[in-house]
Amino acid sequence: EIVEFQKIVGTLIELVDQLAKAAESEKMKAIGARNLLKSIAKQREAQEQQLQALIAEKKMQLERYRIEYETLCRIEADQKEFIDQFIFQK
């Protein structure tokens, strides 16, 4: 009976060792997946910041173009008025 008990205990210990190895493997996979998700989240955050900076830059450029356009429209209106006055004087 003692030999049979030792065999059962040995088998049980082997089974527990296999389960422990499987649990450790799954734990490592879970840690890897969590780290990957954190990395992806950081990459997305960095990309979002880059895009926000690009948007701000484009808004500033648009405002410069708007001011330039308004200035050119005023210059065009002044030139047309000058031409009209010049033509009417002749």
Side-chain angles (χ1 to χ4, degrees), residues 20-80:
K21 288 177 184 176
E24 186 67 24
S25 175
E26 291 300 318
K27 177 182 169 185
M28 295 307 280
K29 286 180 186 177
I31 290 171
R34 182 178 61 198
N35 289 342
L36 179 62
L37 286 175
K38 285 181 182 179
S39 174
I40 291 171
K42 286 181 182 179
Q43 287 175 350
R44 285 187 179 167
E45 186 177 320
Q47 185 180 20
E48 181 181 354
Q49 289 176 351
Q50 289 176 342
L51 290 173
Q52 291 294 342
L54 183 61
I55 289 171
E57 181 183 329
K58 294 298 182 182
K59 283 182 178 180
M60 289 174 55
Q61 186 178 23
L62 175 63
E63 182 62 18
R64 284 194 304 271
Y65 287 154
R66 186 189 62 77
I67 291 170
E68 184 178 354
Y69 174 74
E70 289 175 357
T71 302
L72 291 173
C73 285
R74 283 195 298 269
I75 291 171
E76 179 185 26
D78 290 346
Q79 289 177 348
K80 283 183 179 180

